[in-house]
Amino acid sequence: CGIYRDELCGALMVEYYGPNRPLVQQIIRTELEELAWNDQVAGETLVEYDVVFRDGGFWKKADASVVNSARPPLGMSQDAAASGVAADIWFRAIVSNGSWAFTSGNRVFLASGGGPTMSSPPNSGDISIALGVAITPTAMEFHPQRPIRLDQ
């Protein structure tokens, strides 16, 4: 399985083996729309791939179990940053992390405790936010949707 940009047409492609093992090539999108805010200020220590929200001009870690920390706009930290230091924040991107183990095609949610997960938060009162879709086991299209509070 692999992701690459087609040199001829510039399309972002994913390759994988189908059920009967033939190689399948699928266009993910013809133009990668990576959108980011650069030089934002971290409101606490962030690590790469933290899902974050904006709070009074600072970016802090989002958590599906803490109502006020899971509100738009949501982003994902591109790298580590100490509190008060500039950070670059994605708000739409194809993001890869070798430690993820997603199922391609499934939705990815904000986890209770923060970060991306394949499971929607099951606890009453938690916030369910679809962060995007897994495109490979280690990559997702990060494009957060509106939060939904689960019934109490």
Side-chain angles (χ1 to χ4, degrees), residues 29-87:
R29 64 176 62 253
T30 55
E31 181 180 325
L32 177 62
E33 299 176 46
E34 183 177 294
L35 304 173
W37 291 293
N38 295 315
D39 298 324
Q40 299 296 299
V41 180
E44 61 184 315
T45 300
L46 303 177
V47 297
E48 187 175 23
Y49 310 114
D50 272 344
V51 178
V52 295
F53 74 103
R54 191 173 175 101
D55 183 30
F58 298 96
W59 289 89
K60 298 181 179 178
K61 296 176 190 176
D63 181 338
S65 63
V66 180
V67 175
N68 288 332
S69 80
R71 63 178 188 263
L74 288 174
M76 183 176 283
S77 178
Q78 291 184 24
D79 46 27
S83 182
V85 174

Side-chain angles (χ1 to χ4, degrees), residues 109-126:
F109 297 90
L110 176 63
S112 293
T117 181
M118 293 292 294
S119 303
S120 181
N123 300 320
S124 177
D126 281 358

